[in-house]
Amino acid sequence: MITVAGQTYQWGDPQVTAALIGAGVIVLILILLIMAVRAAGRSAQMAAPLAQQMQILGGHVQQLGAGQEQLRGGLQTVSDTQANAQAQMIQSIELRMANVQQQMQDRLADNAAKSARSLAEMQERMNHTLHGSAKQTTTSLTQLQERLAAIDKAQDNITKLSGDVLSLQDILSNKQTRGAFGEIQLHDIVSKALPSDSYSLQATLSNGKRADCLIHLPNPPGPIVIDSKFPLEAYEALRNAKTDYELKEAVAKMKVSVKTHIKAISEKYILDGETADGALMFLPSEAVYAELHANFPELIRDGFAARVWIVSPTTCMATLNTMRAILKDARMREQAGAIRKELGALHGDVERLVTRVGNLDRHFGQARKDVDEIMISSEKAAKRAGRLHNFDFEELSRDGAETTVVPLTKPDV
């Protein structure tokens, strides 16, 4: 039971229960209020930094607005500047285009004037050229008449030369005269290509055969023979053949003649231990040589097999130049010992010359020294003579006490 204000209540009384519930509710409300007040305090404490940050954020937003305003002003300035620059550029381009147009007009006018002057000058030159051409035509006609006269004179010379050629053909038709002609041409080529002591004409070999020319080459290869005969009759028959039968007969005759000649050269002029292992067959006609190489290659091969080499005047000169190089090399080898001996003697002479030049330089040095001392003595003698002339005896006595006599030395010669 509960006694309140002199009244007693039971715990199970509804009024007591309601009062307790009401008191509990009030206590609960007080507790909630206290908690709310505390929460509000904490919220106020937490809201203070947030408010400060909001204030800072507001300042940044204000600065951003100011920067945006400045940016808008800068963009406007750039736009104005670009517009002004574009306008100035357009104006400058228009001015330059006007200048270029004016210059082009001036140049076109100058070119037109120059073209007019060039045309006038060209017309004048053409007039002079036509006038000169007429004069030159007259001169050319005169020269042509003179040349025709010269041609007539040359025709007479050709007629005379044809007679000389016929006489040459008569000479070549004879074997003996033809052989002499080949020997003369061979001698002319050899004498121009080789020294006179390196060959012999009409040299007799140990077998009694006489060679047209013998080249004295050192071993190896040794002396080599050149034969100057050539099959002219067979070649003429070949060139003059008109029918197939004549051509066939001339070809057979040409082959037999050349083979016989190659065999004769190989047997007569290639001697073991005396001559080289080959010989030269000289053809004084380039036409015969070309005919053999063009249409008779088997004859060339037969010559190679028999160690007989066929040469024309051109190839003979080239071969002789090669032989001259061989002779020169051989003679240089022969003279190599004498050259070394002379070089040794020259070395000794140079050493003696160096020694004597050193002695001469030493003598010259001594002579220069003696001349310098003589100059010093002459200067002192000149001073002494001057003092004697002026009767300066006091200075003379002082100088006499200090002056020493320098003996003269004889140069070592």
Side-chain angles (χ1 to χ4, degrees):
M1 290 188 308
I2 299 173
T3 302
V4 178
Q7 292 182 3
T8 303
Y9 299 96
Q10 293 291 330
W11 290 104
D13 191 356
Q15 295 180 353
V16 174
T17 303
L20 290 174
I21 292 170
V25 170
I26 292 170
V27 172
L28 181 59
I29 291 171
L30 289 175
I31 292 171
L32 291 174
L33 287 174
I34 292 170
M35 291 177 64
V37 169
R38 289 182 177 178
R42 287 193 299 269
S43 299
Q45 292 177 357
M46 293 176 64
L50 181 60
Q52 186 177 2
Q53 292 179 0
M54 290 295 292
Q55 185 177 1
I56 293 171
L57 182 61
H60 289 329
V61 171
Q62 187 176 1
Q63 291 178 0
L64 182 60
Q68 186 175 2
E69 187 66 25
Q70 291 178 359
L71 180 60
R72 185 182 297 108
L75 291 174
Q76 184 65 32
T77 302
V78 170
S79 177
D80 296 338
T81 303
Q82 186 175 4
N84 294 330
Q86 187 174 3
Q88 292 177 359
M89 184 180 293
I90 293 173
Q91 185 178 2
S92 176
I93 291 173
E94 291 178 352
L95 181 61
R96 290 183 180 178
M97 288 182 66
N99 292 331
V100 170
Q101 186 176 3
Q102 184 64 34
Q103 291 177 1
M104 289 181 66
Q105 291 178 356
D106 295 338
R107 290 181 180 178
L108 288 175
D110 293 339
N111 291 332
K114 290 179 180 179
S115 298
R117 288 195 300 270
S118 299
L119 287 174
E121 293 176 357
M122 186 180 295
Q123 186 176 2
E124 185 177 359
R125 286 198 299 268
M126 287 180 66
N127 293 331
H128 288 297
T129 302
L130 290 175
H131 182 67
S133 298
K135 294 176 64 176
Q136 290 178 359
T137 302
T138 304
T139 305
S140 299
L141 289 174
T142 304
Q143 293 177 355
L144 181 59
Q145 292 177 356
E146 294 176 354
R147 289 177 182 176
L148 288 175
I151 290 172
D152 293 335
K153 186 177 180 180
Q155 185 67 32
D156 296 336
N157 293 331
I158 290 173
T159 304
K160 183 178 178 181
L161 182 61
S162 62
D164 295 337
V165 171
L166 291 175
S167 63
L168 179 61
Q169 186 175 2
D170 294 337
I171 292 173
L172 294 178
S173 62
N174 189 347
K175 292 184 178 180
Q176 294 181 353
T177 56
R178 184 172 67 246
F181 174 75
E183 292 174 5
I184 292 172
Q185 189 174 3
L186 177 61
H187 177 263
D188 185 50
I189 294 174
V190 173
S191 62
K192 291 179 180 178
L194 299 177
S196 59
D197 59 345
S198 61
Y199 65 91
S200 298
L201 299 176
Q202 300 300 321
T204 303
L205 303 178
S206 61
N207 58 0
K209 303 298 180 181
R210 181 173 293 179
D212 293 331
C213 182
L214 180 65
I215 309 298
H216 303 295
L217 293 179
N219 287 315
I224 187 168
V225 174
I226 304 178
D227 186 80
S228 62
K229 301 178 183 63
F230 63 103
L232 183 61
E233 293 86 353
Y235 175 73
E236 288 180 348
L238 181 65
R239 300 301 297 174
N240 296 327
K242 296 180 180 180
T243 63
D244 293 339
Y245 176 77
E246 292 178 354
L247 180 62
K248 185 176 180 182
E249 290 292 329
V251 169
K253 184 178 179 181
M254 184 75 172
K255 291 181 179 180
V256 172
S257 177
V258 175
K259 287 183 178 179
T260 303
H261 195 190
I262 290 174
K263 182 178 179 182
I265 293 175
S266 177
E267 293 176 352
K268 294 178 182 179
Y269 304 129
I270 300 178
L271 304 177
D272 293 337
E274 183 177 355
T275 64
D277 59 351
L280 298 178
M281 174 180 163
F282 176 69
L283 300 179
S285 174
E286 295 285 350
V288 179
Y289 180 80
E291 182 69 26
L292 290 178
H293 277 270
N295 299 319
F296 298 94
E298 66 278 5
L299 296 178
I300 305 299
R301 289 193 294 269
D302 291 341
F304 287 160
R307 298 192 302 275
V308 175
W309 294 280
I310 303 174
V311 294
S312 66
T314 303
T315 56
C316 183
M317 178 62 75
T319 305
L320 293 176
N321 286 329
T322 304
M323 294 180 181
R324 182 175 61 184
I326 295 173
L327 290 171
K328 182 178 179 181
D329 184 66
R331 293 183 180 181
M332 289 182 65
R333 286 197 301 269
E334 291 176 358
Q335 298 297 327
I339 291 173
R340 284 194 295 270
K341 182 179 179 181
E342 292 296 330
L343 286 175
L346 179 61
H347 183 266
D349 293 338
V350 170
E351 289 182 347
R352 285 191 295 273
L353 179 61
V354 170
T355 304
R356 291 172 181 175
V357 168
N359 295 333
L360 183 60
D361 183 67
R362 186 171 61 255
H363 295 328
F364 280 152
Q366 185 63 40
R368 283 195 298 270
K369 182 178 179 182
D370 294 339
V371 169
D372 292 339
E373 292 176 353
I374 289 171
M375 291 298 295
I376 294 172
S377 299
S378 63
E379 290 177 359
K380 291 182 178 180
K383 289 180 181 179
R384 186 181 298 277
R387 289 167 183 167
L388 288 173
H389 181 70
N390 295 326
F391 297 98
D392 192 357
F393 295 104
E394 293 180 358
E395 293 182 3
L396 185 62
S397 62
R398 287 197 302 271
D399 291 341
E402 297 176 358
T403 303
T404 59
V405 178
V406 179
L408 297 178
T409 58
K410 184 178 180 180
D412 185 9
V413 179

